[in-house]
Amino acid sequence: MQGNYKIDLMTWRQIINNALKRSHGIFGEGIEYFFLNQDDKIAYLKVCRTDKEIFSSGISSYISGESLIGVPLVVTILQEESNLEKIQVSDDDKLWFHRVLENEFEETQCS
């Protein structure tokens, strides 16, 4: 995306919710997803394995209107992993990523 457009968390949520609703109706709206991290034009999300295909197809086929930030938006999925530890992040993202891994480990220990 060209220009100095910033995409905040609320805009990301609107993009994803609109994409899921348009592609899959109320079933798409029911898909749960969680932001692991979001920084402007890149967001890391966690989606339940059973919803992966529906989520991917909804996001990949969606082009927003200009109403959110003044230009149409398209989302591209750069990585898709079934194991959180396999996600590749830049050095700038290591801090939040290690925190997410620790939280994930703690959650599995408490289950």
Side-chain angles (χ1 to χ4, degrees), residues 8 21 26 29-30 33 41-43 47 50-52 61 64-65 72 75 87 90 92 94 96 107 109:
D8 61 9
K21 182 178 181 179
I26 59 172
E29 287 181 300
Y33 60 91
K41 295 171 185 74
I42 295 179
V47 178
T50 58
D51 294 329
K52 178 181 87 79
S61 63
S64 79
V75 176
I87 293 176
S90 69
D92 294 339
K94 297 277 186 198
W96 70 259
E107 286 179 17
Q109 296 300 322

Side-chain angles (χ1 to χ4, degrees), residues 22 62-73:
R22 184 176 294 166
Y62 180 71
I63 300 174
S64 79
E66 297 181 4
S67 62
L68 290 177
I69 63 170
V71 295
L73 299 171

Side-chain angles (χ1 to χ4, degrees), residues 68 82 89:
L68 290 177
S82 59
V89 297

Side-chain angles (χ1 to χ4, degrees), residues 11-24 54-68 71-77:
T11 304
W12 269 110
R13 287 188 191 283
Q14 287 179 300
I15 293 166
I16 293 168
N17 290 341
N18 290 347
L20 294 173
K21 182 178 181 179
R22 184 176 294 166
S23 296
H24 302 289
I54 293 171
F55 186 87
S56 294
S57 70
I59 294 300
S60 299
S61 63
Y62 180 71
I63 300 174
S64 79
E66 297 181 4
S67 62
L68 290 177
V71 295
L73 299 171
V74 175
V75 176
T76 302
I77 298 173

